[in-house]
Amino acid sequence: MPEEIMVMYSDSGAKPYSSEILQNLTVLQCLQESLEILATIPTVYETVSWLVACLHILQPEDDYFDISYSLPNILFSIFISAHSKRMDNDVLRVAEAILHEAMHLQLTLIEQCVPMIINTDEKYFSPWKNEQRHPRGVLHAIYVFCVIKQFFELLIKEYISTSSIRYLNKRCDVISSQLTEINDFMNCPYLTEAGQALTNRLFFVKQ
């Protein structure tokens, strides 16, 4: 495994499960159920299946804290945490993590053909990271969370579990609030014409 990935494991507070441990836990069952959740919306599942060829399952230090990431230079691979024991809404949390990273991969591929950001050292506040980030990172976050919010809204119409609907509604409310915090990003001068069009569309959809 590349050194840069091993370093990220140690920095994130997570490590990969061994295949032996995975066989004796409910992690794979949770993962399977998460894929079934994604398949509830066929276009979402089809998109994810095209983008994610390799899924690395991480064991977090804290079962109440989710970890996920992907690397721009390692396409079609994502890294997500899954809990060593079953928990409330664990399937929805894992499904969100898979979709989250798949959408990062998708926008990265699009950017190889259609640049979205003009080179700059300027940074903008990100409510997700609670820090200043490069506009490319902010655009990625907006894109990813707009997709997740739309997915959850569609899922609410399909779900019958009251506790799951409560969880999904709460996540949608949180995402809406975070997106509202960065409405000013629509005026970012470092967006290309395509980047501006995408940003405007995303903010229109999120309303």
Side-chain angles (χ1 to χ4, degrees):
M1 184 168 289
E3 181 64 27
E4 62 187 294
I5 297 180
M6 294 304 296
V7 170
M8 290 190 72
Y9 280 145
S10 59
D11 289 346
S12 67
K15 59 183 179 180
Y17 284 103
S18 69
S19 58
E20 292 79 10
I21 292 177
L22 279 177
Q23 299 305 318
N24 296 317
L25 296 177
T26 57
V27 173
L28 295 181
Q29 178 187 354
C30 178
L31 180 61
Q32 178 61 43
E33 292 174 13
S34 298
L35 295 175
E36 292 170 1
I37 290 294
L38 293 171
T40 304
I41 312 299
T43 54
V44 170
Y45 184 80
E46 182 179 6
T47 301
V48 170
S49 65
W50 275 104
L51 292 164
V52 180
C54 186
L55 191 154
H56 299 263
I57 308 173
L58 308 179
Q59 180 178 3
E61 291 183 344
D62 183 348
D63 278 336
Y64 294 91
F65 183 71
D66 298 325
I67 297 168
S68 72
Y69 58 86
S70 53
L71 301 172
N73 58 329
I74 306 181
L75 298 178
F76 309 113
S77 294
I78 66 173
F79 304 78
I80 66 164
S81 62
H83 319 295
S84 58
K85 56 186 177 183
R86 299 309 301 265
M87 305 175 69
D88 290 343
N89 300 307
D90 55 357
V91 172
L92 295 172
R93 289 165 61 182
V94 172
E96 177 177 346
I98 294 172
L99 181 58
H100 181 126
E101 298 308 329
M103 292 303 97
H104 275 305
L105 294 179
Q106 185 182 62
L107 188 53
T108 296
L109 288 169
I110 292 171
E111 287 178 299
Q112 291 182 4
C113 302
V114 185
M116 300 285 174
I117 300 292
I118 299 169
N119 287 336
T120 178
D121 292 327
E122 289 292 321
K123 294 188 176 181
Y124 289 79
F125 176 73
S126 167
W128 293 282
K129 294 288 187 179
N130 197 30
E131 64 183 19
Q132 298 293 315
R133 299 198 69 196
H134 188 276
R136 182 175 183 270
V138 176
L139 178 59
H140 265 254
I142 293 170
Y143 180 70
V144 164
F145 283 104
C146 278
V147 172
I148 289 171
K149 181 172 178 289
Q150 279 194 301
F151 171 64
F152 282 169
E153 288 170 344
L154 292 171
L155 209 54
I156 287 169
K157 299 176 183 179
E158 303 288 339
Y159 245 77
I160 57 174
S161 166
T162 303
S163 62
S164 295
I165 290 176
R166 281 199 299 265
Y167 175 84
L168 293 171
N169 278 321
K170 183 177 180 180
R171 284 294 295 133
C172 286
D173 289 343
V174 169
I175 293 170
S176 291
S177 176
Q178 292 166 329
L179 288 169
T180 299
E181 289 186 52
I182 52 173
N183 272 335
D184 289 346
F185 190 74
M186 287 189 293
N187 302 318
C188 174
Y190 303 104
L191 294 167
T192 64
E193 183 177 349
Q196 185 69 67
L198 175 61
T199 302
N200 291 344
R201 177 62 178 165
L202 291 171
F203 276 101
F204 173 78
V205 170
K206 70 97 175 175
Q207 295 172 0

